[in-house]
Amino acid sequence: MRPWRESLGLIERHVSFKRRAVHAGDTVQTAGDAFGYLHLVHFGAIKTMVVTACGCQQVTGLHLMGDWVGFDGIATGYSACDGYAMDTSEVWTVCYAVLLQTAERVPELAHVLHIALGSQLAHHHKWRIAKVTLPVDARLANFLCSWVQALALRDLRTDNIRLLLTRAEIGNYLGMTLETVSRSFSRLAEIGLIAFDDKGRRHFAIPDIDAM
């Protein structure tokens, strides 16, 4: 069983949780709040953001079905980032103390939690390397491939993908300007690595993921 699916199944069977529907722009967690809960994405997509020292917002993470939001608060006791729904979504909010108690008697739950935490750390490490080493077109291509692969892993549609982030947010996440993101999208489309399905260029497909 895939880890994300196993997480949802184990939580549903063994842990009490609060089911919450959220819509695009709704808050899932707020930076600075006392930490006590984790949020598991049942469906939809959540983005996390922090406010930098200069007062700018920085996108720090994107979370899909089966991903956890809130690990950032474990070390300090306070949520380090804001979490917002990017689309109509449902999150399961779980008390962290109860989760730990349950994991002591359900080893499978402890195992998937460790995998989830390790996967987030590995993804963040990979993203930081890509951000500082890849040229801009390759950086965007890498981001789009990762997004499509994450959708495919969850058996979600990959032939007509709707961008849930604005061009500015993508640039913010990848360390690129809005203009650079737009030009990179155009270059990738010109050489056939992506195909837009609408005039607004919000829906696209990747004809050949290996070529990308």
Side-chain angles (χ1 to χ4, degrees):
M1 183 181 293
R2 292 173 177 174
W4 65 266
R5 184 173 290 159
E6 191 173 3
S7 293
L8 290 166
L10 287 167
I11 292 297
E12 193 166 29
R13 289 196 302 272
H14 298 288
V15 186
S16 61
F17 60 89
K18 180 181 179 182
R19 191 187 303 264
R20 180 159 51 116
V22 289
H23 303 281
D26 287 351
T27 301
V28 174
Q29 71 172 28
T30 302
D33 282 354
F35 170 76
Y37 296 88
L38 293 174
H39 313 282
L40 180 61
V41 183
H42 183 216
F43 65 80
I46 308 297
K47 65 183 176 184
T48 50
M49 308 181 73
V50 297
V51 177
T52 64
C54 65
C56 300
Q57 284 194 314
Q58 173 66 49
V59 180
T60 57
L62 307 172
H63 308 272
L64 295 172
M65 181 192 304
D67 289 339
W68 291 88
V69 178
F71 284 142
D72 55 279
I74 294 176
T76 63
Y78 294 92
S79 296
C81 59
D82 297 307
Y84 301 101
M86 294 196 291
D87 197 4
T88 299
S89 308
E90 182 179 279
V91 295
W92 295 356
T93 298
V94 182
C95 174
Y96 183 60
V98 172
L99 189 62
L100 290 182
Q101 292 171 1
T102 307
E104 290 181 356
R105 60 179 177 81
V106 183
E108 298 87 354
L109 180 57
H111 179 64
V112 297
L113 283 173
H114 290 150
I115 290 178
L117 183 55
S119 295
Q120 282 198 21
L121 290 172
H123 177 78
H124 185 69
H125 180 66
K126 180 180 178 181
W127 163 72
R128 285 180 62 87
I129 291 176
K131 189 174 178 179
V132 299
T133 61
L134 292 179
V136 290
D137 288 356
R139 206 180 308 168
L140 179 61
N142 176 268
F143 167 73
L144 296 177
C145 282
S146 296
W147 186 256
V148 170
Q149 289 164 350
L151 293 175
L153 184 65
R154 292 159 173 81
D155 301 318
L156 299 173
R157 186 175 180 179
T158 59
D159 61 329
N160 188 308
I161 303 154
R162 180 165 65 92
L163 285 171
L164 297 174
L165 295 171
T166 66
R167 297 289 196 276
E169 288 175 323
I170 292 172
N172 177 279
Y173 184 59
L174 297 178
M176 299 161 59
T177 66
L178 170 60
E179 293 77 13
T180 302
V181 171
S182 296
R183 286 195 295 267
S184 291
F185 265 117
S186 295
R187 283 192 290 266
L188 293 177
E190 285 170 4
I191 60 178
L193 290 179
I194 60 174
F196 288 104
D197 293 339
D198 59 340
K199 291 183 179 179
R201 305 186 116 192
R202 295 289 291 175
H203 294 77
F204 73 96
I206 298 179
D208 186 343
I209 192 73
D210 292 328
M212 177 73 104

